[in-house]
Amino acid sequence: MKKLNILLLCLSLSIIACKNEKKETKTEETEAIATKKFVVKPEATSVKWTAYKTTEKKAVGGEFTTAKFEEQSGDTPEEALNNLSFSIPISSLFTNDATNTRDAKIKDSFFGSMLDTEFISGQLHAENGKYKATLTMNGVTKDLPLDIKITDERRVSLTGTMQLAEWNALDALAALNKVCFDLHKGPDGVSKTWEDVAINVETYLREN
């Protein structure tokens, strides 16, 4: 009987120890999930834009090859993006123009006609599933509504349409159209540069 009691006691202690071990493992896993943070990767971010010329509204694409972010993390992708401050150097503008003249014209005539020509800066905001960028350009700060798509909790796509008039940039647009007058003519002989610019930002969130 004594041996049986000792055996039962050992068995009970073994079961309790096993349960405690499983509980500790589960707690560790829960804590790991709870402490997982999402952080925007600047090196995995692209800022592309599409402008338009001629009365036929022919697309002209380009990008900014550099985007700088203040370091920020969040428990969810939305938290990582909300209130995220950024700046984009104008010098990083690139259009892959074969003649190697378009970039200089945009930098000198368009952005060169503005105030604060070194950076475009701003902050992302998220509220009730809606996103916007509070964007500062040409000394003017305005909100740019954005559509967002998040896949796999990590890949983020933000799209919107910028109306240059809202940033008092029509004089700068006219200066650009002047140096590109013949290049912006369509079959009708009219030279035109449109004031709406499509914006497409792609980024990737890493787990921290």
Side-chain angles (χ1 to χ4, degrees):
M1 181 64 71
K2 186 179 290 185
K3 289 183 179 180
L4 180 59
N5 289 338
I6 292 173
L7 181 61
L8 290 173
L9 178 60
C10 291
L11 182 60
S12 298
L13 291 173
S14 176
I15 292 171
I16 292 170
C18 183
K19 286 183 177 180
N20 287 338
E21 185 178 344
K22 289 181 179 179
K23 185 176 180 181
E24 287 175 4
T25 301
K26 189 174 182 180
T27 301
E28 289 173 0
E29 290 175 353
T30 303
E31 288 177 353
I33 293 172
T35 57
K36 181 175 68 174
K37 296 287 186 180
F38 292 94
V39 181
V40 174
K41 294 179 65 176
E43 68 275 15
T45 300
S46 66
V47 180
K48 297 182 180 181
W49 50 267
T50 304
Y52 305 96
K53 66 179 184 179
T54 76
T55 54
E56 295 176 312
K57 207 170 187 179
K58 184 178 178 180
V60 178
E63 64 180 309
F64 293 99
T65 58
T66 301
K68 301 178 180 179
F69 300 97
E70 287 188 4
E71 188 166 333
Q72 176 174 298
S73 62
D75 293 334
T76 64
E78 290 80 4
E79 286 185 9
L81 294 168
N82 189 32
N83 297 322
L84 178 67
S85 296
F86 62 87
S87 63
I88 301 169
I90 300 301
S91 60
S92 70
L93 182 142
F94 177 69
T95 63
N96 197 28
D97 175 36
T99 66
N100 204 29
T101 60
R102 182 190 294 150
D103 293 13
K105 288 178 180 178
I106 297 173
K107 291 176 185 178
D108 296 341
S109 297
F110 181 66
F111 287 107
S113 299
M114 296 185 184
L115 302 173
D116 305 325
T117 60
E118 190 174 359
F119 293 98
I120 298 172
S121 60
Q123 191 175 65
L124 285 176
H125 299 286
E127 185 176 357
N128 298 325
K130 294 184 178 180
Y131 283 73
K132 65 181 179 181
T134 301
L135 200 64
T136 299
M137 185 180 76
N138 194 30
V140 178
T141 301
K142 290 284 186 179
D143 288 340
L144 174 65
L146 296 168
D147 294 323
I148 186 168
K149 182 179 180 181
I150 301 176
T151 58
D152 303 327
E153 287 193 329
R154 294 187 185 182
R155 297 188 182 278
V156 181
S157 175
L158 295 158
T159 57
T161 300
M162 191 175 189
Q163 299 293 337
L164 296 177
E166 295 184 6
W167 281 267
N168 294 341
L170 294 187
D171 287 344
L173 189 67
L176 177 62
N177 194 70
K178 185 176 180 180
V179 297
C180 298
F181 191 82
D182 290 332
L183 294 172
H184 288 197
K185 281 183 181 179
D188 57 4
V190 176
S191 180
K192 182 177 178 64
T193 308
W194 294 73
E195 66 179 74
D196 54 318
V197 179
I199 307 297
N200 182 12
V201 180
E202 302 281 342
T203 192
Y204 186 82
L205 300 173
R206 64 177 170 84
E207 292 182 15
N208 191 24

